[in-house]
Amino acid sequence: MAFAEKAHYGIGDLVEIVRLLRQPDGCPWDREQTHASIRKSLIEETYEVADAIDRQDDTLLCEELGDLLLQVVMHAQMAGEVDSFNFEDVCDGICQKLIYRHPHVFGEMESGLSSGRVLANWEKLKNSEKGRNTAADRLDSVPTSLPALMYAQKVQKRAADYQFCYEDVAGAMADLDSEISELKAAVAGDGPKGHDAADEIGDVLFSAVNVARFLGADAEEALTASSRKFTARLKRAEALAAENGETLNDQDDAGRDALWRQAKAEEEGG
């Protein structure tokens, strides 16, 4: 099953390589895979692309995009083997969609629209194309496999399209305060019967996401940034302890707090 060596390979080569890997005399591991078995890999590769973007590393981004493209080709090959669809169908589908949803470029709709108008028209065409005529239709179409904060923000945004939301951030903040009070009551054992702390934590997070939406912040990105900030400060606190020949576990509460405050001050330029 020799494959001609070339100075440069293209998408056709990738499709053929994957087809060969899936053949009876190809790779045993590749032959065993299914849509479900490589589902996690698709998600992981997507996050690795996102990480390369965050690192602003074009070389890494090129590599990770290739890994992600492999996942797409693998799924298409699997589908083609049972005459469901193939890679050409995937390409045709996205081309059809792009042309249909850009009438200001490929159709007769007026050009020179703002990006906001373009996005609104995209959503309108998308909902019409998929027959999403009700709030229930649009809420059900939000993928439940999304990360929780992202899922919550999308659900809230679509609910807001039907005026099912607070009027302003003040209302969202008041709701967050209310949910925090209910969480405190649940932790103290004073909450309503059937309302445990886990339920209330979920409500607090959902309300916090709503506040983020009103502020124009991406809740998923905001939490990631805070987690990275925490990690950086903890690593610096550990380094500061090591400078004195100690570890974090050698510290009492006051010592750990002092190290944390010093790490925070250094980060903030204090």
Side-chain angles (χ1 to χ4, degrees):
M1 192 183 292
F3 198 84
E5 292 187 7
K6 300 170 63 175
H8 186 81
Y9 297 95
I11 186 62
D13 296 310
L14 176 59
V15 172
E16 178 62 10
I17 288 171
V18 171
R19 186 190 71 79
L20 293 173
L21 290 174
R22 294 275 297 176
Q23 294 301 298
D25 56 344
C27 172
W29 185 90
D30 286 291
R31 287 200 311 269
E32 293 173 356
Q33 302 315 304
T34 66
H35 291 303
S37 71
I38 63 171
R39 175 184 180 276
K40 184 178 179 181
S41 296
L42 176 63
I43 296 171
E44 289 175 349
E45 296 297 353
T46 302
Y47 277 111
E48 289 180 10
V49 168
D51 186 61
I53 293 172
D54 291 342
R55 294 173 184 269
Q56 299 183 346
D57 187 331
D58 285 350
T59 300
L60 182 60
L61 177 57
C62 181
E63 177 186 347
E64 298 301 347
L65 285 172
D67 291 343
L68 182 57
L69 180 58
L70 171 60
Q71 297 299 311
V72 175
V73 174
M74 278 285 285
H75 282 287
Q77 173 61 31
M78 292 174 187
E81 291 167 0
V82 294
D83 295 325
S84 177
F85 62 85
N86 58 32
F87 187 73
E88 289 297 321
D89 296 323
V90 173
C91 294
D92 176 68
I94 189 59
C95 288
Q96 297 272 8
K97 183 185 297 184
L98 288 172
I99 293 169
Y100 172 73
R101 295 184 188 176
H102 288 84
H104 54 291
V105 177
F106 303 109
E108 298 179 355
M109 187 176 181
E110 63 178 302
S111 59
L113 300 178
S114 67
S115 59
R117 282 280 306 281
V118 168
L119 183 60
N121 191 58
W122 172 284
E123 285 296 321
K124 181 180 179 181
L125 290 169
K126 180 178 179 180
N127 291 331
S128 174
E129 173 189 327
K130 295 183 177 294
R132 298 171 185 167
N133 301 313
T134 66
D137 291 336
R138 297 196 63 202
L139 292 175
D140 286 343
S141 68
V142 180
T144 56
S145 58
L146 287 173
L149 295 180
M150 189 181 299
Y151 176 73
Q153 196 151 3
K154 281 186 174 291
V155 165
Q156 292 171 1
K157 182 178 182 298
R158 295 191 180 187
D161 289 339
Y162 293 87
Q163 310 305 312
F164 207 84
C165 61
Y166 292 103
E167 291 185 1
D168 51 33
V169 69
M173 283 294 297
D175 180 62
L176 176 58
D177 289 339
S178 175
E179 295 297 348
I180 291 174
S181 295
E182 291 183 16
L183 173 59
K184 290 179 178 178
V187 171
D190 299 329
K193 186 177 180 179
H195 287 223
D196 62 18
D199 289 332
E200 300 303 341
I201 287 173
D203 291 343
V204 167
L205 291 172
F206 190 81
S207 295
V209 169
N210 205 22
V211 173
R213 186 178 64 82
F214 271 103
L215 296 176
D218 184 292
E220 192 78 29
E221 292 179 0
L223 181 56
T224 297
S226 290
S227 298
R228 288 175 176 170
K229 181 167 56 180
F230 173 86
T231 298
R233 289 177 181 174
L234 183 58
K235 288 166 64 177
R236 180 53 184 156
E238 183 177 53
L240 289 169
E243 290 175 4
N244 295 322
E246 300 176 336
T247 69
L248 292 177
N249 287 331
D250 293 329
Q251 314 299 313
D252 57 16
D253 289 345
R256 282 189 291 272
D257 184 62
L259 290 170
W260 177 266
R261 290 178 182 277
Q262 183 177 347
K264 180 179 180 181
E266 289 181 4
E267 177 188 287
E268 296 174 348

